[in-house]
Amino acid sequence: MDVSTFYALFSATCFTLVGLWWNVVQSHADWMADPALRRVVGGVYLSFLLPALMGLFAQVGGTGQPQIWRAAFVVLALVGCVCTVRLLARARGDRFVRMQQAGAALLYALIAVVGSVPEAVRGTGLRPIQAEALMLIVLIVLGHALVWRFMAGEGRAQE
């Protein structure tokens, strides 16, 4: 598959997931009333929104102007990493959720590294934008796992 086509489909899918998540949140007003739950709900939201935005910037920059997608990936990954680390610092109880958040923070950090130092993937046989795509796929899988855990009630640790 062409990388541009992948990012078009990926970004549209992630924006769809954002919309689906907000539909779920609208039917649970109690989640927004509790500050601890509101943070987790926001974390789930960001786990789909940030990759969606990265996908848009990958389309705009593509291979013709890599500085566009690279700069966007670095900035958005840093935002994701900081937000995820803040959530991780407040996580209580559920080991799975803490592991998922730690994995997401690590992926965001790696995405930022590849965006700022694309030579880091030299020797893998991948172009930097392809390596980023693979990490974004894993990030979305982790986001889905978080949603499942949250919807099952186990990821809603209270402060």
Side-chain angles (χ1 to χ4, degrees), residues 23-47:
N23 276 335
V24 169
V25 170
Q26 283 180 339
S27 64
H28 295 279
D30 56 312
W31 293 354
M32 298 307 282
D34 180 333
L37 286 177
R38 190 172 47 243
R39 280 190 290 276
V40 176
V41 166
V44 171
Y45 169 73
L46 285 179
S47 73

Side-chain angles (χ1 to χ4, degrees), residues 30-83:
D30 56 312
W31 293 354
M32 298 307 282
D34 180 333
L37 286 177
R38 190 172 47 243
R39 280 190 290 276
V40 176
V41 166
V44 171
Y45 169 73
L46 285 179
S47 73
F48 298 130
L49 178 66
L50 295 176
L53 292 172
M54 289 181 202
L56 285 180
F57 280 106
Q59 290 175 33
V60 171
T63 55
Q65 293 185 309
Q67 65 276 17
I68 293 173
W69 72 260
R70 287 177 51 206
F73 274 47
V74 169
V75 170
L76 292 168
L78 290 175
V79 168
C81 190
V82 167
C83 291

Side-chain angles (χ1 to χ4, degrees), residues 18-154:
V18 168
L20 290 171
W21 180 242
W22 280 118
N23 276 335
V24 169
V25 170
Q26 283 180 339
S27 64
H28 295 279
D30 56 312
W31 293 354
M32 298 307 282
D34 180 333
L37 286 177
R38 190 172 47 243
R39 280 190 290 276
V40 176
V41 166
V44 171
Y45 169 73
L46 285 179
S47 73
F48 298 130
L49 178 66
L50 295 176
L53 292 172
M54 289 181 202
L56 285 180
F57 280 106
Q59 290 175 33
V60 171
T63 55
Q65 293 185 309
Q67 65 276 17
I68 293 173
W69 72 260
R70 287 177 51 206
F73 274 47
V74 169
V75 170
L76 292 168
L78 290 175
V79 168
C81 190
V82 167
C83 291
T84 304
V85 167
R86 288 182 67 202
L87 280 174
L88 183 58
R90 294 175 177 267
R92 306 274 190 271
D94 193 333
R95 184 173 189 265
F96 176 85
V97 171
R98 289 192 324 265
M99 295 293 288
Q100 183 278 341
Q101 290 171 331
L106 176 62
L107 276 170
Y108 278 125
L110 289 172
I111 289 167
V113 166
V114 171
S116 48
V117 186
E119 301 82 29
V121 298
R122 189 174 296 154
T124 65
L126 297 171
R127 294 184 317 206
I129 200 163
Q130 291 172 313
E132 298 283 40
L134 292 173
M135 288 186 282
L136 288 174
I137 290 168
V138 175
L139 196 59
I140 291 302
V141 169
L142 289 174
H144 275 276
L146 182 62
V147 168
W148 175 257
R149 199 69 170 192
F150 188 84
M151 294 303 295
E154 299 168 21

Side-chain angles (χ1 to χ4, degrees), residues 1-14:
M1 171 184 281
D2 175 57
V3 174
S4 179
T5 303
F6 165 79
Y7 276 111
L9 292 170
F10 178 82
S11 188
T13 300
C14 288

